[in-house]
Amino acid sequence: FFLDGSDTVGLPIKFIPPDAGSYRCQILLKSPCDVRVYEIECVVSKDQVDAELEFLTPAYQSVIQNIPISNTSSVDWKFEAKLEGEGFYGPPAINVCVGETALYPLTFNPVAEC
């Protein structure tokens, strides 16, 4: 059995999410000979924003920058951190529960002037 496109019907859907998150719905289609239920899940993320952090500290003294991570989705998040660059430290993982904001403590500990 092969569908060549002549047996299909388009179903336009307009979706305007109020915020980032996971949105689920069911679409029920009925005809005299058939009933079908389609489940749709849309995952919406916020626009990606580039950020820059500048650390100013005397040589050999560390500074900590707490980076806020807000979870406005409907599921808990678990992040794994991969830090690159000499002198940067932080926890390898962080959990952010639904509706909460967690702080990721990024530490910069210079070993010389840089």
Side-chain angles (χ1 to χ4, degrees):
F1 185 76
F2 178 73
L3 295 177
D4 61 3
S6 63
D7 315 32
T8 63
V9 175
L11 180 64
I13 298 173
K14 185 174 184 177
F15 174 63
I16 303 173
D19 204 354
S22 177
Y23 298 89
R24 295 179 181 173
C25 75
Q26 290 184 340
I27 298 174
L28 175 65
L29 299 177
K30 292 196 277 185
S31 75
C33 350
D34 196 10
V35 175
R36 295 177 189 224
V37 177
Y38 293 91
E39 293 186 6
I40 297 176
E41 178 180 9
C42 296
V43 178
V44 179
S45 59
K46 292 190 179 209
D47 292 336
Q48 184 175 351
V49 177
D50 291 332
E52 183 176 310
L53 297 176
E54 184 175 326
F55 291 89
L56 297 174
T57 185
Y60 307 107
Q61 292 186 17
S62 65
V63 62
I64 298 173
Q65 173 69 54
N66 288 310
I67 301 171
I69 302 172
S70 297
N71 183 350
T72 58
S73 75
S74 59
V75 294
D76 291 342
W77 290 345
K78 180 176 181 174
F79 286 98
E80 292 183 12
K82 180 181 177 186
L83 300 177
E84 296 179 354
E86 190 175 332
F88 289 95
Y89 306 94
I94 186 170
N95 295 316
V96 186
C97 295
V98 171
E100 293 185 1
T101 298
L103 298 176
Y104 183 84
L106 179 61
T107 301
F108 178 59
N109 190 13
V111 294
E113 287 187 40
C114 58

